[in-house]
C-alpha cells in the first residue's frame, strides 16, 4: 500500500515505532520513527503518541514517520521522572471519560485530579462511575460525585447489566475520539468492550482465567467503534501528575475560584487573613474541608511544576545561546578556510 495520500492515525506508540491505521481499514501497519526520532525530543518536535495524525513515507520500502501533524488537543501528564519531561498520553481527543468505580467508594480527589488533566487537554471531560450494579443507590452516589465535578456530565453505568450506557453511546458520534482514564481495576477496558460490542481489550476477569500478568492493559491503544468513533484505552496510571495549568485548576474548582475572587486581598493566601472568603466558606460548610484540601494540594503541585518548567526553559535558553555563540565563533574563524 502507499502512504502518499494524507495522514494516518497512530493506533499505538512503541519505543522507536508506531502502529498506524491505514484508511482502507486493513490491519494496522508498523512505521518506524525517523532515525533522528530521539533527537526530535530535544528539538521540541512532537514524538508521535496514540491518537496522533502522522505522515508516513515508504519510498525506501520501510515505512517511517515523516511528520506529526499539529494536535487539536493533548492529554499531558507530568512524568515526574529525573528527566522531568511531560508525557503526552493521547492526542486529538474530543472527550475524556474520567472513569471511577462506585464500589469501593469513589475517590473524589482522584476524580478532581483527572478532571484537571482533562480540562487542561482541551477536550471535554465526562465522568463515568462504573460498577453501579454493586451498590444499592448509584443515583445518589452519582449526585455526590457531581458536586465535585462542576459543569461536567456524570453517568453511573454498569457494564455487567448494560444499565446507564445509553448516554455514553450518544457521545460516540462519527469521527469523535474518546479516551478513558482512571485507576487500574476501575473497569475501563470492560467499558471499552461494552461500547465496542465485542471483546477488543482484555480485562481483569480474563486475566484470572488465562493467568497472565497483573496488569492486563499495558498499552494505550486506539479502538475503532461501530458508528465511526474511536476510543483510546489506557492502563491505570498510578499517582498521575497534573501538569501545571492555572486555568484548568480554576475550571475544575470553579466554586473555589469564585470564592478566591471575593477575598479582600488580591494576594490572599487563605491562611487567616481578614476578609478571606475561602475561610468564611469553610466555616459555614459551604466549602468542604475535603475539597479545599484537594484544591490546595493540586495548586501546590501546579505551582511547583510551573517553577520547574521555568527553570527548564531557562536552561534550554542558556543552551541555545551557547550553541549560537559557538557557531558564531566558528564562523569568525572563517567558513571553509583551509586549516593550517
Ligand atoms: N460488577 C461489575 N464488575 C465490573 C464492571 N466493570 C468492570 N468490572 C470488573 O472489574 C474488574 C476490572 O475491570 P477492567 O475493565 O479490567 O478494569 P481496568 O483496569 O480499568 O481496565 C474486572 O474483573 C471486571 O469484570 C461492572 O460494571 N460491574
Ligand atoms: Mg484495562
Ligand atoms: Zn482568602
Amino acid at each position: 500500500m502507499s502512504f502518499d495520500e494524507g495522514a494516518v492515525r497512530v493506533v499505538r506508540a512503541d519505543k522507536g515505532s508506531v502502529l498506524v491505521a491505514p484508511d482502507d481499514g486493513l490491519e494496522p501497519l508498523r512505521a518506524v520513527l525517523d532515525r533522528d526520532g530521539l533527537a526530535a525530543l530535544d528539538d521540541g518536535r512532537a514524538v508521535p503518541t496514540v491518537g496522533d495524525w502522522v505522515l508516513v513515507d515508504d519510498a525506501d520500502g520501510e515505512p517511517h514517520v515523516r511528520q506529526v501533524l499539529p494536535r487539536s488537543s493533548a492529554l499531558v501528564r507530568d512524568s515526574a521522572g529525573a528527566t522531568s519531561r511531560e508525557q503526552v498520553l493521547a492526542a486529538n481527543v474530543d472527550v475524556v471519560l474520567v472513569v471511577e468505580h462506585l464500589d469501593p467508594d469513589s475517590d473524589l480527589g482522584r476524580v478532581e485530579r483527572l478532571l484537571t488533566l482533562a480540562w487542561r487537554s482541551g477536550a471535554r471531560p465526562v465522568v463515568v462511575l462504573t460498577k453501579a450494579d454493586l451498590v444499592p443507590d448509584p443515583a445518589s452516589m452519582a449526585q455526590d460525585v457531581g458536586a465535585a465535578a462542576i459543569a461536567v456530565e456524570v453517568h453511573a453505568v454498569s457494564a455487567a447489566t448494560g444499565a446507564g450506557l445509553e448516554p455514553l453511546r450518544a457521545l460516540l458520534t462519527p469521527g469523535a475520539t474518546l479516551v478513558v482514564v482512571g485507576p487500574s481495576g476501575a473497569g475501563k477496558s470492560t467499558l471499552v468492550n461494552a461500547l465496542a460490542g465485542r471483546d477488543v481489550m482484555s480485562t481483569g476477569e480474563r486475566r484470572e482465567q488465562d493467568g497472565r500478568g497483573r496488569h492486563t492493559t499495558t498499552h494505550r491503544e486506539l479502538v475503532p467503534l461501530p458508528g465511526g468513533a474511536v476510543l483510546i484505552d489506557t492502563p491505570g496510571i498510578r499517582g498521575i501528575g497534573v501538569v501545571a495549568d492555572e486555568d484548568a485548576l480554576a475550571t475544575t474548582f470553579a466554586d473555589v475560584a469564585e470564592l478566591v475572587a471575593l477575598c479582600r486581598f488580591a494576594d490572599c493566601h487563605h491562611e487567616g487573613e481578614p476578609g478571606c472568603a475561602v475561610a468564611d466558606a469553610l466555616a459555614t460548610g459551604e466549602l468542604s474541608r475535603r475539597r479545599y484540601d484537594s484544591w490546595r494540594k493540586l495548586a501546590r503541585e501546579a505551582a511547583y511544576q510551573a517553577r520547574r518548567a521555568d527553570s527548564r526553559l531557562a536552561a534550554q535558553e542558556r543552551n541555545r545561546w551557547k550553541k549560537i555563540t559557538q557557531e558564531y565563533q566558528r564562523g569568525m574563524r572563517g567558513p571553509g578556510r583551509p586549516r593550517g
Side-chain angles (χ1 to χ4, degrees):
M1 69 160 295
S2 164
F3 285 106
D4 294 344
E5 302 108 52
V8 286
R9 197 103 197 247
V10 174
V11 172
R12 179 177 143 167
D14 294 301
K15 208 174 178 168
S17 73
V18 293
L19 281 179
V20 293
D23 263 345
D24 52 21
L26 297 176
E27 281 295 287
L29 219 115
R30 191 164 291 281
V32 298
L33 303 189
D34 275 328
R35 279 159 291 282
D36 60 347
L38 284 177
L41 271 169
D42 285 330
D43 234 12
R45 273 188 288 149
V47 172
T49 192
V50 62
D52 263 324
W53 291 97
V54 296
L55 299 179
V56 172
D57 201 329
D58 62 354
D60 62 358
E62 186 189 28
H64 66 267
V65 176
R66 190 155 46 86
Q67 199 190 330
V68 179
L69 299 189
R71 293 167 176 153
S72 63
S73 67
L75 205 63
V76 180
R77 83 185 272 218
D78 181 55
S79 71
T83 52
S84 59
R85 240 181 242 294
E86 296 173 0
Q87 185 192 11
V88 183
L89 292 174
N92 304 310
V93 170
D94 303 300
V95 177
V96 179
L97 298 179
V98 172
V99 180
E100 177 69 23
H101 43 65
L102 286 169
D103 179 67
D105 280 354
S106 307
D107 179 340
L108 294 180
R110 182 162 55 206
V111 171
E112 287 160 340
R113 177 176 292 269
L114 290 175
L115 282 175
T116 306
L117 187 89
W119 283 124
R120 145 97 203 218
S121 74
R124 174 164 74 98
V126 169
V127 174
V128 181
L129 300 169
T130 57
K131 313 195 184 186
D133 55 291
L134 298 181
V135 297
D137 193 358
S140 80
M141 289 173 87
Q143 220 160 30
D144 291 346
V145 177
I150 295 172
V152 176
E153 283 175 40
V154 178
H155 301 292
V157 307
S158 166
T161 68
L165 289 176
E166 274 322 305
L168 296 188
R169 291 215 172 88
L171 301 171
L172 307 177
T173 51
T177 300
L178 294 83
V179 64
V180 293
V181 294
S184 180
K188 296 181 299 299
S189 298
T190 306
L191 181 68
V192 170
N193 289 344
L195 293 173
R198 66 205 163 92
D199 280 358
V200 269
M201 302 305 298
S202 52
T203 63
E205 212 147 57
R206 270 227 226 129
R207 142 186 112 207
E208 272 147 32
Q209 280 169 18
D210 55 29
R212 282 204 235 115
R214 273 175 55 84
H215 295 275
T216 39
T217 312
T218 54
H219 284 89
R220 285 169 274 133
E221 200 164 319
L222 188 142
V223 177
L225 299 180
V230 298
L231 188 44
I232 299 172
D233 193 12
T234 65
I237 305 149
R238 252 175 303 144
I240 193 159
V242 165
V243 171
D245 190 310
E246 294 248 344
D247 285 348
L249 211 59
T251 308
T252 306
F253 294 94
D255 51 343
V256 183
E258 227 167 80
L259 291 169
V260 168
L262 295 176
C263 290
R264 185 181 305 159
F265 302 113
D267 63 346
C268 186
H269 289 96
H270 328 297
E271 282 164 357
E273 289 99 326
C276 175
V278 174
D280 289 348
L282 276 173
T284 63
E286 180 196 338
L287 174 65
S288 75
R289 172 60 60 174
R290 186 211 61 77
R291 188 159 167 88
Y292 169 80
D293 287 343
S294 175
W295 169 67
R296 284 306 282 249
K297 185 157 187 270
L298 287 171
R300 264 199 304 274
E301 282 181 32
Y304 167 73
Q305 279 155 13
R307 281 198 304 277
R308 207 178 53 177
D310 277 351
S311 65
R312 203 152 60 213
L313 219 61
Q316 271 168 13
E317 192 65 359
R318 277 196 302 278
N319 276 336
R320 200 169 72 84
W321 277 105
K322 208 163 119 191
K323 251 191 205 155
I324 290 173
T325 312
Q326 281 167 353
E327 265 156 34
Y328 175 74
Q329 284 168 347
R330 262 200 295 278
M332 291 292 280
R333 274 187 243 119
R337 223 193 312 143
R339 280 169 206 272

